[in-house]
Amino acid sequence: MCLSRWLVGLLVILATSFTANAKIYTTPILADANELLQTSPDKSLEMTTRYLDQRRLSDPKELSRVHVNDETDHTVRTPLNTINALQIQARAFSLLNLPEEAINTVKKAEKLAAENDLSFTTLETRLIHARIYWDNLKNSATALNMLDQVDKEIEQSKALQLTKQVKILQYQSLLQRAIIESHLDDENKAEKLFIKAKRYLMNLDDSSEVINYQLTIGHHYLEHRHFDLALDRLLGGYWLAVEQEDSAKVARANFELANLFEQRKVFDKALEHATQAGEFFEHFNQTLPLAKTLALIASIYEQQGRFNLALVHYFNALDQENQLKHDIRSARLRLNIARVYLQLYNYPKAEQYLQHTRQLATVSNNEAIQAEAQILQGKLELAEGRTEKAVSTLQSGLIAASRLGDLDLQLMGETVLSAAFEQQNDYYNALLSQRRYEQLFSSKQEDQVKSNVEVFKQQQRMLERSLQLEEMERQQFESEKALYKQKNVTIFLLSFILVILIVLLRRHRVAKQLQTRLMRLRTEFYTHPRSGLRNLRMLTARLPNSLQQSSANFEQWHLGEIINEPLSDRLRFALFEVPFLKHIYLEHGYQKGLEIERQFGEYLKEQVCEPARLYHFSDAMFLYIEPNSRLDTAPEQLAGSIQQLIDNFLDNRQIDNRVRIGMAEYPFLPRAYTAINDHELLDILLMAANAARLISKKEPGSQWVHLSAIDAAPAASFASDNIRKACLQGIDNGLVKVQSSSAYDIIWNNDHDSDKNII
């Protein structure tokens, strides 16, 4: 059982290793749910829940169905698609800020993947698990530990290392590590991880992931105040997202660009990008990013001195945060509102929101917000004239800010504290506070100088890159110029070849049509129009060649060139008349007559098989030819066979079944094979058939007459221009043997008045 599971797992890995592109969902429901993750995670969650509820999990023992992606049976779900559904659910819970539900769901997916020995899917699920721990809980230790386990298992699994898709896992692991290290302020390590992840990204051929990488590293540069690099990456990601029409990533890029321009004090561009991002988040009802965007817009308005608009957006952001029940962000928003009210000289409102801020900061144990609230409280107390209280509050806030290492907060606190001491006429402490401010400002300036040096180096690298880009553009222009010429030549050649192909295809088609038409005409030319049998034209065309070939074989045997006598080349001819075909049209009408004659022709085609042949000689006469290897075969046998053919066709039909048959063999003269040609042989057959017709007038039933020359018949007796006269003389002289179905003698002279005249 373990071996079979291992084999199935290996097959799944090989099946998924043909491409290293983005993940493809073969079930349409899951594909749609995955698409909705970035815009409507709640709908994505609803779709996957319905998918899991409405279908049962397939039996793991059915190995042929365990990992089949094409679920033609809509009542079951395979383990692989079940895991995919759980992964989408976990990511949806994460986006909806429900970490507990997300972790429980991803654990179910991980367990199911392990039970089915899906190595790749198991590691993929663990990466999602680690991402949830970081994105929702900011638990860097657990997330990094899980990433270490994933990397270790990839190194230990030789089967995974043989696949192309393992690069996806390695890329995702590196990118997640880089994000965590960036947030932990280990900038150098994060940079190295980003560079390493990019190497894997180049092999993935995934445009969506390229956009994600650009925005992620742009956010990293923004957090570490490398504004030029951040602008380069964010704008690159923004235009790629616009080109790909990925509205979710466009909104994300807009938010990051708005943050960048806000920090660089370019408020008009910041407001433009933030507004576009807010419209998207509001349209798709994404509460958390909408709250952040509204807070950013409010901050821009506050810095512009448009306090009423700032308050409106802060309040809207606070409404969104209250739905999320996030104490820290709610406390930060209340602090911002208090600061705006303070600038509007609305001290009671400022006091009210500061009190709420301190309560939430205490509950969440956030020292940064507590410190800033204390300094803002001291500024409020100073504005209200409570100088001693303000000094005490400011000093407490400065101690907390110093402990946190927040330089900007310390600068603001020292400025307000200096003003408070000055109102108390305590100029000494005011001077000390001012000096501390200057020291802090000097320290900040040094940091800025270092930052400017880094910025200068970045600009130098960007300039070098720009020069390289110009050279590459020049080379590209030359290459495009050469390519354009080659393209024109190629287009001309292809057009010429296409024209030739069209002409050839046209000629081939015309030739084929003409050939088909020729075949149809040939068939019609050599086919009797009513019976469908081969007609007299076919007989005239083929009979001479056939007789010549037979005569040549006999000549070769006679001369000793052939050892054995070619008995198989002897031919027996039977020219038979079917009288009912003459009267069928008169008795039954034209349409019925055509139908019966056509049926008769088809019947004869089926009954007469190779090497025998049958020709429709005239309206009611047919010529039957067959090999005559047995010389002792009685002619009545052939006559009986022909009669049997007619009887079988006319069975159950009230139609005259008489037949008049004239028979002869070829060669007609045993000692002179070529003395009788095809036309003369037909004349002999016509004489025999006419004799049978005369007999049938005197006697009832079918009649037949057989003519054959005796073995000693000389060829000179038949060397005449009139074969009929020669045959009559041969009959009179006993050179031609006459056999018939009648017991009476045949009077030949009555039958050949023209011959008498010749005589």
Side-chain angles (χ1 to χ4, degrees):
M1 187 65 182
C2 293
L3 179 60
S4 61
R5 285 189 176 184
W6 182 86
L7 288 173
V8 171
L10 181 60
L11 287 174
V12 172
I13 292 172
L14 292 175
T16 56
S17 65
F18 291 117
T19 176
N21 295 346
K23 185 170 183 177
I24 298 175
Y25 295 92
T26 55
T27 303
I29 297 175
L30 297 182
D32 294 340
N34 184 64
E35 288 293 328
L36 288 172
L37 270 177
Q38 298 301 321
T39 55
S40 302
D42 52 340
K43 292 183 181 179
S44 178
L45 183 62
E46 180 183 348
M47 290 175 67
T48 50
T49 303
R50 187 167 61 251
Y51 173 81
L52 293 172
D53 291 341
Q54 292 178 352
R55 302 191 184 196
R56 63 176 179 83
L57 184 63
S58 60
D59 188 358
K61 294 181 181 180
E62 300 175 10
L63 295 179
S64 62
R65 298 181 59 187
V66 171
H67 302 300
V68 175
N69 289 331
D70 186 11
E71 293 179 349
T72 54
D73 187 355
H74 295 293
T75 62
V76 299
R77 46 183 165 84
T78 62
L80 184 58
N81 282 333
T82 303
I83 296 166
N84 289 334
L86 291 172
Q87 288 178 349
I88 295 172
Q89 272 194 342
R91 291 163 61 193
F93 279 128
S94 176
L95 291 170
L96 293 171
N97 199 32
L98 299 171
E100 185 175 349
E101 291 84 349
I103 290 173
N104 291 335
T105 305
V106 80
K107 284 182 177 179
K108 292 179 184 177
E110 192 173 342
K111 180 181 178 183
L112 186 58
E115 290 175 353
N116 287 274
D117 290 334
L118 299 173
S119 305
F120 178 85
T121 310
T122 301
L123 297 179
E124 183 183 46
T125 309
R126 287 180 184 172
L127 285 175
I128 297 174
H129 199 170
R131 194 182 310 158
I132 293 170
Y133 265 105
W134 172 249
D135 290 343
N136 296 95
L137 303 176
K138 297 302 176 187
N139 190 335
S140 59
T142 303
L144 289 173
N145 185 41
M146 297 183 75
L147 293 175
D148 290 337
Q149 292 179 1
V150 169
D151 293 341
K152 186 177 180 181
E153 290 192 25
I154 291 175
E155 291 178 1
Q156 293 176 349
S157 176
K158 294 183 179 179
L160 274 177
Q161 290 177 4
L162 294 175
T163 65
K164 291 183 179 178
Q165 273 203 328
V166 72
K167 294 179 181 179
I168 295 178
L169 300 177
Q170 293 171 323
Y171 163 75
Q172 291 175 348
S173 176
L174 287 169
L175 187 64
Q176 190 61 48
R177 283 180 181 277
I179 292 171
I180 296 172
E181 296 295 344
S182 174
H183 191 269
L184 296 176
D185 289 331
D186 195 339
E187 187 179 349
N188 292 331
K189 191 172 183 179
E191 286 274 355
K192 293 177 182 178
L193 289 169
F194 275 121
I195 293 171
K196 196 172 181 181
K198 188 177 181 180
R199 294 172 188 164
Y200 287 97
L201 178 62
M202 294 172 65
N203 297 321
L204 296 184
D205 191 22
D206 186 352
S207 56
S208 178
E209 194 55 49
V210 170
I211 299 170
N212 178 61
Y213 176 84
Q214 290 283 79
L215 298 181
T216 303
I217 195 171
H219 177 77
H220 160 75
Y221 286 132
L222 179 59
E223 288 295 310
H224 294 277
R225 305 184 67 82
H226 302 308
F227 299 119
D228 293 333
L229 291 174
L231 180 62
D232 180 42
R233 298 298 189 275
L234 293 176
L235 280 177
Y238 172 79
W239 289 114
L240 280 174
V242 170
E243 183 181 347
Q244 296 291 328
E245 296 183 355
D246 192 335
S247 55
K249 288 187 173 59
V250 170
R252 178 183 165 191
N254 274 321
F255 178 76
E256 296 292 348
L257 285 168
N259 256 322
L260 171 62
F261 286 123
E262 188 265 344
Q263 293 186 42
R264 299 295 287 175
K265 308 301 180 184
V266 185
F267 296 125
D268 55 341
K269 296 295 291 183
L271 197 57
E272 177 185 343
H273 286 286
T275 303
Q276 292 177 11
E279 289 174 354
F280 174 85
F281 297 137
E282 184 178 10
H283 177 75
F284 288 101
N285 196 25
Q286 296 188 18
T287 306
L288 178 58
L290 178 59
K292 292 180 178 179
T293 306
L294 290 172
L296 178 60
I297 294 174
S299 175
I300 295 170
Y301 282 135
E302 181 184 354
Q303 294 178 71
Q304 287 180 324
R306 303 160 73 179
F307 300 120
N308 290 328
L309 287 174
L311 278 177
V312 170
H313 285 82
Y314 275 135
F315 281 128
N316 289 336
L318 186 60
D319 290 339
Q320 300 294 324
E321 290 292 354
N322 288 336
Q323 295 178 24
L324 297 172
K325 298 180 181 179
H326 198 288
D327 292 341
I328 296 177
R329 286 196 291 268
S330 294
R332 174 63 65 183
L333 285 172
R334 282 179 167 82
L335 183 64
N336 293 337
I337 292 171
R339 186 176 59 249
V340 174
Y341 273 128
L342 183 58
Q343 294 178 80
L344 289 172
Y345 304 104
N346 191 338
Y347 302 139
K349 283 289 185 181
E351 179 67 34
Q352 176 185 344
Y353 279 94
L354 277 174
Q355 184 178 358
H356 291 164
T357 300
R358 287 194 298 271
Q359 291 174 355
L360 291 173
T362 303
V363 171
S364 59
N365 196 26
N366 191 295
E367 296 183 0
I369 295 178
Q370 288 178 351
E372 189 172 351
Q374 280 185 317
I375 291 176
L376 196 59
Q377 178 69 31
K379 190 174 181 179
L380 173 61
E381 290 169 348
L382 180 62
E384 290 178 337
R386 295 180 289 168
T387 309
E388 292 184 3
K389 182 66 174 175
V391 169
S392 176
T393 304
L394 288 168
Q395 287 176 338
S396 300
L398 280 169
I399 292 172
S402 177
R403 184 169 60 251
L404 294 171
D406 192 332
L407 202 60
D408 292 331
L409 194 57
Q410 291 180 65
L411 288 171
M412 184 179 70
E414 293 293 351
T415 302
V416 179
L417 183 59
S418 178
F421 281 130
E422 191 173 348
Q423 283 190 12
Q424 287 183 332
N425 297 322
D426 190 352
Y427 300 112
Y428 177 75
N429 285 323
L431 182 60
L432 290 177
S433 184
Q434 185 64 30
R435 286 180 178 175
R436 285 195 297 270
Y437 172 84
E438 291 174 356
Q439 290 174 356
L440 291 170
F441 186 77
S442 176
S443 177
K444 184 178 180 180
Q445 287 292 104
E446 290 178 2
D447 292 339
Q448 288 181 349
V449 169
K450 291 180 181 178
S451 177
N452 290 335
V453 171
E454 291 297 325
V455 169
F456 178 76
K457 291 180 179 179
Q458 294 168 13
Q459 290 175 345
Q460 180 186 3
R461 288 195 293 268
M462 292 179 67
L463 181 59
E464 291 174 352
R465 190 182 307 170
S466 177
L467 293 173
Q468 292 176 356
L469 184 61
E470 289 179 1
E471 177 63 20
M472 292 173 64
E473 287 177 349
R474 188 190 64 79
Q475 293 177 359
Q476 182 184 5
F477 175 76
E478 295 294 333
S479 300
E480 288 177 351
K481 188 176 179 181
L483 185 62
Y484 178 74
K485 293 180 180 179
Q486 186 177 1
K487 181 181 177 183
N488 289 338
V489 174
T490 305
I491 291 174
F492 173 76
L493 291 175
L494 288 176
S495 302
F496 181 72
I497 293 172
L498 183 62
V499 170
I500 292 177
L501 285 175
I502 292 173
V503 172
L504 291 176
L505 288 173
R506 174 66 180 170
R507 289 175 64 86
H508 174 72
R509 184 178 178 185
V510 171
K512 191 174 182 181
Q513 290 176 347
L514 291 175
Q515 186 178 9
T516 304
R517 185 180 177 186
L518 178 63
M519 292 295 295
R520 186 173 68 252
L521 291 174
R522 187 188 297 274
T523 302
E524 293 175 356
F525 185 74
Y526 289 120
T527 302
H528 195 277
R530 295 193 299 276
S531 67
L533 296 171
R534 289 174 284 194
N535 60 10
L536 187 58
R537 293 192 190 95
M538 175 77 75
L539 178 65
T540 305
R542 289 192 176 182
L543 184 60
N545 295 332
S546 177
L547 296 184
Q548 287 176 9
Q549 180 64 38
S550 181
S551 298
N553 290 339
F554 279 116
E555 288 288 349
Q556 289 175 357
W557 169 75
H558 184 70
L559 296 173
E561 296 178 7
I562 298 178
I563 297 175
N564 297 318
E565 181 180 0
L567 300 177
S568 60
D569 289 327
R570 297 178 185 273
L571 300 175
R572 172 171 288 177
F573 290 77
L575 182 65
F576 62 93
E577 181 185 14
V578 185
F580 80 83
L581 289 178
K582 296 180 179 179
H583 311 295
I584 195 70
Y585 291 95
L586 296 173
E587 294 177 0
H588 296 278
Y590 181 69
Q591 294 294 335
K592 186 67 175 178
L594 282 178
E595 181 183 351
I596 293 176
E597 190 166 0
R598 173 62 66 181
Q599 291 175 357
F600 184 60
E602 292 176 354
Y603 167 75
L604 291 179
K605 278 184 183 179
E606 293 177 358
Q607 298 300 319
V608 178
C609 303
E610 294 289 344
R613 290 167 285 169
L614 184 68
Y615 297 91
H616 197 146
F617 188 81
S618 64
D619 286 344
M621 297 189 71
F622 300 86
L623 179 62
Y624 176 77
I625 306 172
E626 69 175 9
N628 186 27
S629 59
R630 297 181 62 187
L631 300 177
D632 58 346
T633 303
E636 56 265 23
Q637 291 184 359
L638 177 59
S641 299
I642 294 174
Q643 182 65 56
Q644 186 66 36
L645 279 175
I646 305 302
D647 292 342
N648 290 341
F649 176 74
L650 297 178
D651 190 23
N652 298 326
R653 287 189 174 99
Q654 300 300 323
I655 299 176
D656 184 10
N657 67 339
R658 291 180 301 160
V659 185
R660 300 155 183 174
I661 309 170
M663 293 177 282
E665 283 81 26
Y666 184 87
F668 187 73
L669 299 176
R671 292 186 175 182
Y673 308 117
T674 59
I676 304 297
N677 61 25
D678 56 317
H679 292 165
E680 293 170 339
L681 181 63
L682 289 175
D683 265 335
I684 295 171
L685 289 169
L686 286 168
M687 287 177 59
N690 185 56
R693 181 178 63 83
L694 293 175
I695 294 173
S696 68
K697 290 181 179 180
K698 299 177 182 179
E699 299 181 21
S702 300
Q703 303 296 330
W704 58 269
V705 174
H706 177 264
L707 299 179
S708 61
I710 63 175
D711 293 341
S717 300
F718 296 89
S720 172
D721 293 336
N722 192 330
I723 191 63
R724 300 167 70 92
K725 176 183 175 182
C727 281
L728 287 174
Q729 291 176 349
I731 293 171
D732 292 338
N733 298 330
L735 299 177
V736 176
K737 181 180 178 181
V738 179
Q739 292 177 275
S740 72
S741 57
S742 174
Y744 300 100
D745 292 334
I746 301 173
I747 302 175
W748 294 96
N749 292 334
N750 293 336
D751 187 32
H752 300 288
D753 294 335
S754 60
D755 296 335
K756 293 178 182 179
N757 297 330
I758 295 172
I759 294 173

PDB file of all heavy atoms in Angstrom, residues 190-201:
ATOM      1  N   ALA A 190      17.703  41.259   3.783  1.00  0.00           N
ATOM      2  CA  ALA A 190      16.508  41.312   2.938  1.00  0.00           C
ATOM      3  C   ALA A 190      16.881  41.552   1.478  1.00  0.00           C
ATOM      4  O   ALA A 190      16.321  40.922   0.561  1.00  0.00           O
ATOM      5  CB  ALA A 190      15.564  42.401   3.439  1.00  0.00           C
ATOM      6  N   GLU A 191      17.853  42.453   1.251  1.00  0.00           N
ATOM      7  CA  GLU A 191      18.298  42.753  -0.114  1.00  0.00           C
ATOM      8  C   GLU A 191      18.833  41.489  -0.793  1.00  0.00           C
ATOM      9  O   GLU A 191      18.514  41.203  -1.953  1.00  0.00           O
ATOM     10  CB  GLU A 191      19.388  43.821  -0.081  1.00  0.00           C
ATOM     11  CG  GLU A 191      18.899  45.225   0.205  1.00  0.00           C
ATOM     12  CD  GLU A 191      18.443  45.928  -1.061  1.00  0.00           C
ATOM     13  OE1 GLU A 191      18.597  45.341  -2.142  1.00  0.00           O
ATOM     14  OE2 GLU A 191      17.930  47.043  -0.949  1.00  0.00           O
ATOM     15  N   LYS A 192      19.658  40.741  -0.077  1.00  0.00           N
ATOM     16  CA  LYS A 192      20.234  39.519  -0.647  1.00  0.00           C
ATOM     17  C   LYS A 192      19.150  38.497  -0.982  1.00  0.00           C
ATOM     18  O   LYS A 192      19.198  37.832  -2.020  1.00  0.00           O
ATOM     19  CB  LYS A 192      21.244  38.917   0.332  1.00  0.00           C
ATOM     20  CG  LYS A 192      22.489  39.774   0.521  1.00  0.00           C
ATOM     21  CD  LYS A 192      23.421  39.158   1.553  1.00  0.00           C
ATOM     22  CE  LYS A 192      24.654  40.058   1.785  1.00  0.00           C
ATOM     23  NZ  LYS A 192      25.548  39.498   2.824  1.00  0.00           N
ATOM     24  N   LEU A 193      18.163  38.401  -0.096  1.00  0.00           N
ATOM     25  CA  LEU A 193      17.071  37.451  -0.338  1.00  0.00           C
ATOM     26  C   LEU A 193      16.226  37.866  -1.538  1.00  0.00           C
ATOM     27  O   LEU A 193      15.797  37.023  -2.339  1.00  0.00           O
ATOM     28  CB  LEU A 193      16.199  37.333   0.916  1.00  0.00           C
ATOM     29  CG  LEU A 193      16.847  36.614   2.103  1.00  0.00           C
ATOM     30  CD1 LEU A 193      16.006  36.790   3.361  1.00  0.00           C
ATOM     31  CD2 LEU A 193      17.018  35.128   1.787  1.00  0.00           C
ATOM     32  N   PHE A 194      15.981  39.170  -1.676  1.00  0.00           N
ATOM     33  CA  PHE A 194      15.225  39.663  -2.833  1.00  0.00           C
ATOM     34  C   PHE A 194      15.965  39.347  -4.141  1.00  0.00           C
ATOM     35  O   PHE A 194      15.359  38.928  -5.132  1.00  0.00           O
ATOM     36  CB  PHE A 194      14.989  41.168  -2.714  1.00  0.00           C
ATOM     37  CG  PHE A 194      13.780  41.527  -1.897  1.00  0.00           C
ATOM     38  CD1 PHE A 194      13.905  42.328  -0.763  1.00  0.00           C
ATOM     39  CD2 PHE A 194      12.518  41.077  -2.258  1.00  0.00           C
ATOM     40  CE1 PHE A 194      12.794  42.666  -0.001  1.00  0.00           C
ATOM     41  CE2 PHE A 194      11.400  41.414  -1.501  1.00  0.00           C
ATOM     42  CZ  PHE A 194      11.538  42.209  -0.375  1.00  0.00           C
ATOM     43  N   ILE A 195      17.282  39.559  -4.144  1.00  0.00           N
ATOM     44  CA  ILE A 195      18.080  39.294  -5.344  1.00  0.00           C
ATOM     45  C   ILE A 195      18.053  37.805  -5.686  1.00  0.00           C
ATOM     46  O   ILE A 195      17.906  37.405  -6.853  1.00  0.00           O
ATOM     47  CB  ILE A 195      19.528  39.787  -5.140  1.00  0.00           C
ATOM     48  CG1 ILE A 195      19.557  41.321  -5.039  1.00  0.00           C
ATOM     49  CG2 ILE A 195      20.425  39.310  -6.277  1.00  0.00           C
ATOM     50  CD1 ILE A 195      20.901  41.879  -4.625  1.00  0.00           C
ATOM     51  N   LYS A 196      18.163  36.967  -4.661  1.00  0.00           N
ATOM     52  CA  LYS A 196      18.144  35.526  -4.880  1.00  0.00           C
ATOM     53  C   LYS A 196      16.779  35.066  -5.394  1.00  0.00           C
ATOM     54  O   LYS A 196      16.685  34.205  -6.274  1.00  0.00           O
ATOM     55  CB  LYS A 196      18.497  34.817  -3.573  1.00  0.00           C
ATOM     56  CG  LYS A 196      18.896  33.360  -3.752  1.00  0.00           C
ATOM     57  CD  LYS A 196      19.412  32.787  -2.447  1.00  0.00           C
ATOM     58  CE  LYS A 196      19.836  31.338  -2.624  1.00  0.00           C
ATOM     59  NZ  LYS A 196      20.318  30.749  -1.363  1.00  0.00           N
ATOM     60  N   ALA A 197      15.728  35.662  -4.833  1.00  0.00           N
ATOM     61  CA  ALA A 197      14.376  35.302  -5.289  1.00  0.00           C
ATOM     62  C   ALA A 197      14.159  35.696  -6.739  1.00  0.00           C
ATOM     63  O   ALA A 197      13.479  34.994  -7.499  1.00  0.00           O
ATOM     64  CB  ALA A 197      13.332  35.977  -4.392  1.00  0.00           C
ATOM     65  N   LYS A 198      14.763  36.819  -7.144  1.00  0.00           N
ATOM     66  CA  LYS A 198      14.599  37.284  -8.523  1.00  0.00           C
ATOM     67  C   LYS A 198      15.179  36.290  -9.523  1.00  0.00           C
ATOM     68  O   LYS A 198      14.660  36.138 -10.640  1.00  0.00           O
ATOM     69  CB  LYS A 198      15.254  38.658  -8.683  1.00  0.00           C
ATOM     70  CG  LYS A 198      14.967  39.308 -10.027  1.00  0.00           C
ATOM     71  CD  LYS A 198      15.564  40.697 -10.105  1.00  0.00           C
ATOM     72  CE  LYS A 198      15.245  41.342 -11.453  1.00  0.00           C
ATOM     73  NZ  LYS A 198      15.814  42.701 -11.554  1.00  0.00           N
ATOM     74  N   ARG A 199      16.255  35.610  -9.142  1.00  0.00           N
ATOM     75  CA  ARG A 199      16.845  34.617 -10.049  1.00  0.00           C
ATOM     76  C   ARG A 199      15.856  33.489 -10.344  1.00  0.00           C
ATOM     77  O   ARG A 199      15.759  33.004 -11.473  1.00  0.00           O
ATOM     78  CB  ARG A 199      18.118  34.047  -9.424  1.00  0.00           C
ATOM     79  CG  ARG A 199      19.246  35.072  -9.275  1.00  0.00           C
ATOM     80  CD  ARG A 199      20.395  34.495  -8.475  1.00  0.00           C
ATOM     81  NE  ARG A 199      21.397  35.505  -8.160  1.00  0.00           N
ATOM     82  CZ  ARG A 199      22.339  35.348  -7.233  1.00  0.00           C
ATOM     83  NH1 ARG A 199      22.405  34.210  -6.545  1.00  0.00           N
ATOM     84  NH2 ARG A 199      23.205  36.318  -6.988  1.00  0.00           N
ATOM     85  N   TYR A 200      15.148  33.071  -9.306  1.00  0.00           N
ATOM     86  CA  TYR A 200      14.130  32.039  -9.522  1.00  0.00           C
ATOM     87  C   TYR A 200      12.953  32.589 -10.317  1.00  0.00           C
ATOM     88  O   TYR A 200      12.359  31.887 -11.137  1.00  0.00           O
ATOM     89  CB  TYR A 200      13.631  31.497  -8.182  1.00  0.00           C
ATOM     90  CG  TYR A 200      14.628  30.598  -7.485  1.00  0.00           C
ATOM     91  CD1 TYR A 200      15.466  31.094  -6.493  1.00  0.00           C
ATOM     92  CD2 TYR A 200      14.740  29.253  -7.816  1.00  0.00           C
ATOM     93  CE1 TYR A 200      16.392  30.273  -5.850  1.00  0.00           C
ATOM     94  CE2 TYR A 200      15.655  28.426  -7.183  1.00  0.00           C
ATOM     95  CZ  TYR A 200      16.478  28.943  -6.201  1.00  0.00           C
ATOM     96  OH  TYR A 200      17.376  28.124  -5.575  1.00  0.00           O
ATOM     97  N   LEU A 201      12.606  33.850 -10.066  1.00  0.00           N
ATOM     98  CA  LEU A 201      11.468  34.463 -10.754  1.00  0.00           C
ATOM     99  C   LEU A 201      11.686  34.502 -12.261  1.00  0.00           C
ATOM    100  O   LEU A 201      10.734  34.334 -13.034  1.00  0.00           O
ATOM    101  CB  LEU A 201      11.239  35.877 -10.212  1.00  0.00           C
ATOM    102  CG  LEU A 201      10.103  36.688 -10.860  1.00  0.00           C
ATOM    103  CD1 LEU A 201       8.760  36.000 -10.630  1.00  0.00           C
ATOM    104  CD2 LEU A 201      10.079  38.103 -10.294  1.00  0.00           C
TER     105      LEU A 201
END
